[in-house]
Amino acid sequence: MPTYDGAETTLETVESLARPHLEYASSVWSPYKKKDIESVENVQRRVTKMLPNLKDLSYEDRLKLLKLPTLRYRRLRGDMIETYKILNHIYDERASSGIFTLSSGSTTRGHSLKLVKNRSRLDVRKYYFTNRVVEVWNSFPETIVTAKNVKTFERRLDKY
């Protein structure tokens, strides 16, 4: 894979101009339909393709060269960080209490902070923040969900 000398400037451009618009409040509006996910990802795809010396590379190669993850991964990571903050009472308790229900069952598998997934009839409710994060959160090992602070959680999450 070729190297690109202007990668630092390019990375700053993508991160400062495109990403804030694509990720703002993504915990609320996160797309769930494949066509919508692709539409959002296409914006980053087009931005990285406009960069000099990178337009002939595939999207995956451009992301590797710029050390950028996909927007889908960034949304999922952001959701997990928000979940951690809510469960660890980093936000005001009055605003975040009751958002999640911890599982009361004593299982021998997984971690101690398992969440209950609410049943929903409609697709709209199925993809709300509180439902879409449960399966991923419950799949984490104990060492991730019991991190002492947000930075430690982020580091462990990125390694996982």
Side-chain angles (χ1 to χ4, degrees):
M1 179 183 299
T3 59
Y4 179 57
D5 295 332
E8 287 300 316
T9 306
T10 303
L11 181 61
E12 290 172 8
T13 303
V14 173
E15 287 183 336
S16 64
L17 296 178
R19 279 242 180 106
H21 296 287
L22 299 172
E23 294 179 347
Y24 180 76
S26 65
S27 294
V28 176
W29 64 262
S30 187
Y32 63 92
K33 292 182 179 175
K34 188 174 183 174
K35 68 176 186 155
D36 295 334
I37 293 168
E38 287 299 316
S39 292
V40 173
E41 196 71 41
N42 279 337
V43 175
Q44 181 168 281
R45 182 176 280 119
R46 284 192 308 265
V47 169
T48 59
K49 194 168 183 93
M50 286 191 274
L51 303 172
N53 301 333
L54 297 181
K55 62 184 173 189
D56 296 329
L57 298 175
S58 70
Y59 178 55
E60 291 76 22
D61 289 341
R62 290 192 305 267
L63 290 180
K64 284 179 189 173
L65 192 61
L66 295 168
K67 298 176 183 151
L68 291 173
T70 62
L71 293 173
R72 173 183 256 174
Y73 170 80
R74 295 272 302 174
R75 283 192 304 274
L76 179 61
R77 182 180 185 273
D79 285 350
M80 293 304 105
I81 293 168
E82 291 301 313
T83 303
Y84 175 85
K85 289 177 179 179
I86 291 167
L87 291 174
N88 287 281
H89 311 291
I90 292 172
Y91 293 126
D92 186 349
E93 185 75 29
R94 296 172 294 182
S96 62
S97 67
I99 292 178
F100 292 113
T101 306
L102 291 174
S103 177
S104 59
S106 59
T107 61
T108 57
R109 296 177 188 238
H111 54 79
S112 58
L113 294 174
K114 290 224 180 236
L115 301 174
V116 174
K117 185 167 187 172
N118 297 324
R119 296 171 60 81
S120 54
R121 288 184 311 116
L122 304 174
D123 272 356
V124 173
R125 180 72 175 129
K126 187 184 340 181
Y127 297 106
Y128 276 11
F129 172 77
T130 54
N131 280 347
R132 75 170 179 263
V133 300
V134 172
E135 287 180 27
V136 178
W137 180 265
N138 288 346
S139 71
F140 289 151
E142 183 85 22
T143 56
I144 294 177
V145 300
T146 57
K148 298 289 182 205
N149 57 49
V150 177
K151 288 295 178 193
T152 304
F153 175 78
E154 289 174 1
R155 280 193 304 272
R156 291 177 183 176
L157 179 62
D158 290 340
K159 283 183 183 178
Y160 181 72

